[in-house]
């Protein structure tokens, strides 16, 4: 990689993982729909060029990851191995501004998440906290 790499002043282990109760209530189809909606949002955002043209396929690969993260089966691990999320994001130059756009897209999708996806209301603040913290770990460019 021929660019200066920024290393955030944190470790991914500093971020508290989301509650496993989230998947227990939502179920697989709701998580898949949430990620579908999130990728639609990304596809209309200022960072849309970073994402593949086929947002459906990309969203469902990410959904596999989120299903495991939220307490469901480890589909992403089974299909793709160790997630190593920071390493997998290295091909993309992600600065603080792009992280903010990514986060804004996710936060937009989480408005009315209880009604749309049966997201447990009590767990929303913790999930947002996780997204804000863990997304810092994906920042790899100071520019
Ligand atoms: C900080 C802002 C972030 C940006 C700009 C970003 C951008 C991207 C891009 C461009 C891809 C490749 C295209 C795709 O497959 O969708 C990707 C893949 C992915 N991202 Fe992110 N991402 C960010 C944060 C995160 C976070 C915080 C998570 C998890 C909580 C995450 C989970 C994933 C997953 C699971 C994939 C698929 C990886 C694979 O192809 O195996 N991303 N992301």
């Amino acid at each position: 990689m021929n660019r200066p790499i920024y290393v955030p002043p944190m470790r991914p282990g500093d971020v508290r993982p989301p509650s496993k109760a989230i998947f227990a209530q939502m179920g697989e189809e709701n998580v898949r729909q949430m990620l579908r909606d999130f990728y639609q949002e990304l596809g209309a955002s200022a960072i849309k060029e970073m994402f593949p043209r086929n947002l459906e396929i990309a969203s469902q690969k990410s959904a596999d990851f989120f299903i495991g993260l939220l307490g469901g089966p480890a589909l992403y691990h089974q299909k793709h191995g160790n997630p190593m999320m920071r390493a997998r994001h290295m091909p993309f130059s992600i600065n603080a501004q792009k992280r903010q756009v990514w986060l804004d897209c996710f936060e937009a999708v989480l408005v009315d998440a209880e009604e749309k996806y049966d997201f447990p209301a009590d767990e929303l603040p913790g999930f947002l906290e996780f997204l804000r913290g863990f997304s810092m770990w994906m920042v790899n460019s100071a520019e």
Side-chain angles (χ1 to χ4, degrees):
M1 226 148 300
N2 205 5
R3 61 179 174 87
I5 297 298
Y6 168 81
V7 181
M10 47 104 46
R11 298 273 118 197
D14 299 342
V15 184
R16 188 201 296 252
S19 162
K20 306 273 181 223
I22 300 175
F23 183 84
Q25 179 164 319
M26 289 175 73
E28 178 161 345
E29 206 31 62
N30 277 319
V31 179
R32 292 202 176 281
Q33 191 56 43
M34 180 170 78
L35 269 295
R36 222 170 253 131
D37 293 348
F38 173 49
Y39 269 72
Q40 284 303 314
E41 203 73 33
L42 288 171
S45 76
I47 59 170
K48 65 176 177 217
E49 282 78 17
M50 297 177 81
F51 292 91
R53 209 157 276 171
N54 193 325
L55 292 171
E56 171 63 17
I57 291 176
S59 78
Q60 295 310 297
K61 191 176 185 190
S62 269
D64 285 347
F65 175 80
F66 276 85
I67 284 166
L69 180 73
L70 300 177
L75 302 177
Y76 187 93
H77 291 67
Q78 288 159 14
K79 294 182 194 175
H80 310 292
N82 192 335
M84 301 179 303
M85 275 296 144
R86 182 168 158 88
R88 287 190 202 254
H89 284 76
M90 253 338 149
F92 309 96
S93 174
I94 300 177
N95 61 15
Q97 203 180 345
K98 286 178 178 155
R99 166 189 171 261
Q100 193 56 53
V101 174
W102 185 96
L103 209 47
D104 289 346
C105 287
F106 221 132
E107 294 193 8
V109 162
L110 290 175
V111 172
D112 298 327
E114 299 157 62
E115 288 78 26
K116 290 188 290 187
Y117 315 118
D118 202 13
F119 199 109
D122 293 351
E123 307 296 353
L124 254 178
F127 184 51
L128 284 165
E129 199 56 32
F130 168 81
L131 291 176
R132 288 173 191 142
F134 196 62
S135 59
M136 286 182 202
W137 185 235
M138 245 46 77
V139 176
N140 56 34
S141 166
E143 285 142 38

